Amino acid sequence: MAGGFGAGQVAAKMMALFEQPFTVSGHELFVTGSIGISVFPDDGQDPNLLIRNADVAMYQAKSRGRNGYQFYAPEMDGEGIERLRMDALLRRAIERNEFFLEYQPQVEIASSRLIGVEALVRWQNPELGLVSPVRFIPMAEDSGFINQLGEWVLFEACRQMVRWDAAGLAVPKMAVNLSVRQVERGAMAPLVSAALAATGLAPARLQLEVTESVIMDNADATAFVHQLHALGVGLAIDDFGTGYSSLAYLKQLPVDVLKIDRSFIKDIALDSNDEAIAIAIIQLGKSMNLSVIAEGVENDEQAAFLLRHGCTRAQGYLYGRPLAPEVLLQEWGTRNNERHEPARHDAGT
């Protein structure tokens, strides 16, 4: 918002409007807004400059908790302009082939057998270098670009499964993360169906992952999950244990997998609370006939604890860091061949 006298009062009134839900097709929707304000002539005399400065102030409003407004100030320029620059580069990254995927193995603990991989998006920009997902994923969600990025990730992950098949490595399952914005937007089922049809990947070999908070905070989550389940794809709840779940609600959803958040695994041998939470999630999974995967497993002690308490699946640095597709093919293709070769015994001389 580029404005003069009374802009703050107008923004405050707009914020008040968002305190009440909107009713759409019988559903109550809560919408929040972040407003940036620049004032003529102090913040610029050119319309383009005023709009740019208002945009910078808007990002400040978002970074301070959203659902509020901020007036532009010159000291915002450093962070704000850098964010605008990154946003512009991000939006052109798909057409410039700057995104790529790495894949982290998921294994059966007892046998170290590969049971799946999780697709993780990376961004390599000529100007910025390798940009951490911690920086660009929130920005993509703020701008709405996450929908385009999520679509690219989904199709590329499905295509990679087909490539591995052709190369002789049958990865049982591909896990792809969905963001809160993708869930809120809806229409995921047709997109997933299109990706499966375009690549020929069997639905049962695709697993979509959403966080616990996404499921619980979205009013249309039940319909969303059932639509995906009807396609035959799997559904996992990621970072389980970090949010608040209604177990009565959870049992109504056709969920296949619970993923124990890495924060409960890190100090599992040292923190009795982490141990108790991990054991509770494992037992919950068993009682609901759900698979349980532990994230962030980094040492044998953690793996032994999980196996002892009935968690048979894991991912983490103990089994492999995120790998380029050709590296995963080389490493796990070799392991699979070794696993299926008959044992050899020296006869001696």
Side-chain angles (χ1 to χ4, degrees):
M1 175 186 294
F5 180 76
Q9 289 90 332
V10 172
K13 289 181 179 179
M14 292 177 67
M15 294 296 102
L17 288 175
F18 289 129
E19 293 178 0
Q20 301 300 319
F22 296 88
T23 302
V24 179
S25 300
H27 298 283
E28 285 191 341
L29 303 179
F30 288 86
V31 181
T32 61
S34 298
I35 298 175
I37 304 169
S38 63
V39 180
F40 174 86
D42 294 343
D43 299 330
Q45 299 186 17
D46 175 80
N48 291 328
L49 182 58
L50 285 167
I51 292 172
R52 192 213 70 173
N53 289 342
D55 209 18
V56 168
M58 178 195 67
Y59 282 120
Q60 283 289 319
K62 287 185 176 183
S63 69
R64 298 186 184 186
R66 308 190 181 193
N67 199 29
Y69 64 91
Q70 287 291 319
F71 281 90
Y72 170 78
E75 56 266 25
M76 295 178 180
D77 274 343
E79 180 182 345
I81 292 176
E82 176 62 18
R83 187 179 179 97
L84 289 173
R85 175 170 167 261
M86 277 193 65
D87 183 64
L89 293 172
L90 186 61
R91 290 178 178 278
R92 295 196 294 269
I94 290 179
E95 63 188 64
R96 294 179 176 180
N97 297 315
E98 294 174 4
F99 289 117
F100 63 97
L101 296 182
E102 291 185 328
Y103 303 88
Q104 185 165 35
Q106 299 175 333
V107 306
E108 186 178 69
I109 296 175
S111 65
S112 295
R113 178 176 63 89
L114 185 69
I115 60 170
V117 297
E118 180 179 356
L120 300 167
V121 65
R122 304 290 188 251
W123 180 24
Q124 180 75 46
N125 178 265
E127 295 181 37
L128 304 175
L130 185 62
V131 185
S132 168
V134 175
R135 291 182 67 194
F136 74 80
I137 292 295
M139 184 176 296
E141 290 182 335
D142 282 346
S143 67
F145 178 71
I146 194 67
N147 293 312
Q148 292 172 258
L149 179 57
E151 180 177 342
W152 179 87
V153 169
L154 175 64
F155 274 78
E156 178 59 22
C158 291
R159 284 192 291 263
Q160 185 56 57
M161 287 285 275
V162 176
R163 295 187 197 112
W164 280 327
D165 285 346
L169 175 63
V171 177
K173 193 157 302 229
M174 171 67 73
V176 176
N177 293 282
L178 299 182
S179 79
V180 61
R181 300 296 179 221
Q182 290 174 282
V183 176
E184 289 173 348
R185 184 186 184 189
M188 278 302 301
L191 183 62
V192 173
S193 181
L196 295 172
T199 59
L201 182 68
R205 296 178 67 193
L206 178 63
Q207 176 178 291
L208 300 175
E209 298 189 357
V210 293
T211 63
E212 185 178 7
S213 58
V214 168
I215 288 290
M216 298 308 301
D217 294 344
N218 192 285
D220 297 321
T222 300
F224 164 79
V225 170
H226 280 88
Q227 288 168 4
L228 294 175
H229 179 72
L231 295 177
V233 303
L235 184 75
I237 298 185
D238 200 8
D239 301 338
F240 193 80
T242 59
Y244 171 77
S245 287
S246 164
L247 300 184
Y249 186 61
L250 183 61
K251 75 176 184 179
Q252 299 174 17
L253 301 175
V255 174
D256 303 287
V257 178
L258 299 181
K259 299 188 73 176
I260 306 176
D261 186 69
R262 66 184 65 249
S263 63
F264 302 122
I265 303 300
K266 181 181 178 182
D267 297 319
I268 204 168
L270 305 172
D271 190 315
S272 59
N273 290 325
D274 286 346
E275 288 187 4
I277 292 171
I279 293 171
I281 295 173
I282 294 167
Q283 294 303 316
L284 174 64
K286 284 183 177 180
S287 68
M288 299 181 70
N289 294 317
L290 303 176
S291 296
V292 178
I293 296 179
E295 297 181 284
V297 178
E298 297 183 352
N299 57 58
D300 291 325
E301 188 176 14
Q302 294 167 341
F305 176 92
L306 292 165
L307 198 56
R308 187 163 62 250
H309 290 282
C311 178
T312 61
R313 301 180 174 196
Q315 72 180 85
Y317 288 174
L318 179 61
Y319 307 105
R321 293 175 178 269
L323 303 170
E326 61 274 10
V327 176
L328 189 135
L329 172 62
Q330 181 179 6
E331 291 192 5
W332 287 91
T334 301
R335 295 188 199 188
N336 283 353
N337 291 336
E338 290 174 349
R339 187 174 291 113
H340 291 98
E341 284 181 1
R344 296 180 179 178
H345 302 279
D346 269 341
T349 55

